[in-house]
Amino acid sequence: MRGFDLDQLRTFAAVADAGSLTAAAPRLHLSQSTVSEQVRKLESRAGVPLFVRSKRGVEPTPAGARLLQHARRIVALNEAAFDELRGQAIKGELRVAITDYYRTHEVAGLLARLRECYPQLSLHVSAMKSAEIEAAHARGQIDLGVVMNLSSGPFRPASADTRWVLRREPLSWVTSPALAEQLPEPLPLVLLPDDCMMHQIAVRSLDEQHAPYVLVHSASGVAGLQSMLAAGLGVGCLCASAIGEGLVRLGAKYRLPALPDAVFSLTPPMPGERETVTQAREVLSRQLLM
């Protein structure tokens, strides 16, 4: 029989997003051995390796990256078909705001799949800072938001509803490979403006360590920040999914202060919200994990 097993594709996508079999297992409510076996069977079916394995975890091979695009679409369409037959297809308008730190290289594809799976849903999407998203949600100006908080310190939410947590990602100090060879002193920082959570945690952690630094450039958005860092204009901090080509993590040998994890979550239900919003939150909590 031609084709792939749906459960194996779902596991494959979860492992790719989690970065390791161990991290993917609790997301899938499976044992690590079951996850490993499903990946092995999928690779056998595909006839090519789908992951490069190392001590740090796994990364998709070129063939794996191609299959990953199909796998996410297949899994999403399967869930949309299931919802439609149960009378749970989402219809109507939905105003969504997403922090631009969230899976910067993938979020456009995620939204495209959502439109394909739910053609009767009219999406209005904007990128905003997390604090602005939470304020807009409280005022009823948006229906749903994807926000970022930190796992510790002053930027940790007072009461996080873990039901709507999408993912956790480590924060890292990053720069270009050339600048990483010999970091200047004081440390040249490239950050977003000072009302950005990442800016505040970077400056605060350096101040606490009494590490000398100077703010050399300020970017207006994450895409600009990534470009400046890749150009070797300085050092910044990014969450794992925002570290793209041309950037390297600065490890322990650089003796920079440790950073907390970024925690991405959906805004929680509001009293009296529309049924469309309630349905969409459930769907997005699945779709945005893939």
Side-chain angles (χ1 to χ4, degrees):
M1 181 181 71
R2 287 169 56 82
F4 293 107
D5 179 89
L6 184 62
D7 287 337
Q8 292 171 10
L9 290 177
R10 183 181 288 107
T11 297
F12 169 63
V15 171
D17 285 338
S20 74
L21 279 69
T22 302
R27 294 188 186 186
L28 295 162
H29 305 289
L30 298 173
S31 66
Q32 183 178 343
S33 61
T34 301
V35 171
S36 179
E37 179 67 9
Q38 288 193 356
V39 170
R40 187 193 66 75
K41 288 181 177 179
L42 183 62
E43 289 184 317
S44 176
R45 185 74 173 170
V48 291
L50 299 175
F51 286 120
V52 176
R53 293 159 173 82
S54 69
K55 291 181 179 179
R56 293 188 303 173
V58 298
E59 291 186 6
T61 63
R66 296 197 303 274
L67 179 59
L68 186 58
Q69 297 180 36
H70 296 296
R72 286 175 171 155
R73 182 167 175 264
I74 290 166
V75 172
L77 285 170
N78 172 72
E79 294 192 352
F82 185 74
D83 288 340
E84 196 277 329
L85 288 176
R86 295 178 65 195
Q88 295 178 348
I90 312 174
K91 305 175 183 178
E93 293 193 356
L94 191 70
R95 301 164 300 171
V96 180
I98 302 177
T99 169
D100 57 0
Y101 280 108
Y102 185 74
R103 299 175 72 175
T104 55
H105 307 293
E106 305 169 50
V107 73
L110 292 169
L111 294 172
R113 286 200 303 275
L114 193 63
R115 288 184 185 275
E116 180 182 21
C117 294
Y118 299 94
Q120 297 182 72
L121 178 65
S122 178
L123 270 178
H124 305 275
V125 182
S126 56
M128 300 164 62
K129 294 183 176 70
S130 292
E132 294 173 351
I133 293 172
E134 291 175 338
H137 184 245
R139 292 192 297 264
Q141 295 172 328
I142 61 170
D143 300 309
L144 281 172
V146 177
V147 299
M148 178 185 73
N149 283 286
L150 302 183
S151 60
S152 62
F155 308 103
R156 183 176 183 175
S159 59
D161 190 338
T162 57
R163 290 177 301 166
W164 309 114
V165 171
L166 298 171
R167 63 196 285 135
R168 295 170 65 100
E169 297 184 9
L171 298 185
S172 300
W173 296 99
V174 297
T175 189
S176 68
L179 196 63
E181 290 183 6
Q182 187 171 0
L183 288 182
E185 290 188 7
L187 190 71
L189 290 183
V190 179
L191 302 169
L192 267 61
D194 58 11
D195 59 349
C196 169
M197 192 184 307
M198 292 283 202
H199 178 119
Q200 295 169 29
I201 193 64
V203 168
R204 181 188 179 96
S205 61
L206 289 168
D207 284 341
E208 289 177 347
Q209 189 171 290
H210 304 292
Y213 64 88
V214 58
L215 182 61
V216 292
H217 293 287
S218 179
S220 59
V222 173
L225 177 62
Q226 291 166 326
S227 297
M228 288 182 178
L229 292 171
L233 300 183
V235 173
C237 58
L238 288 172
C239 52
S241 64
I243 302 173
E245 294 183 8
L247 294 173
V248 294
R249 293 176 175 84
L250 298 175
K253 74 174 185 177
Y254 293 92
R255 298 184 179 178
L256 292 171
L259 297 169
D261 288 345
V263 181
F264 294 97
S265 58
L266 285 168
T267 50
M270 295 286 283
E273 71 179 12
R274 293 179 293 125
E275 183 181 358
T276 295
V277 180
T278 302
Q279 289 177 318
R281 183 179 290 100
E282 294 285 351
V283 168
L284 285 171
S285 68
R286 300 192 306 265
Q287 298 272 355
L288 293 177
L289 280 169
M290 290 189 292

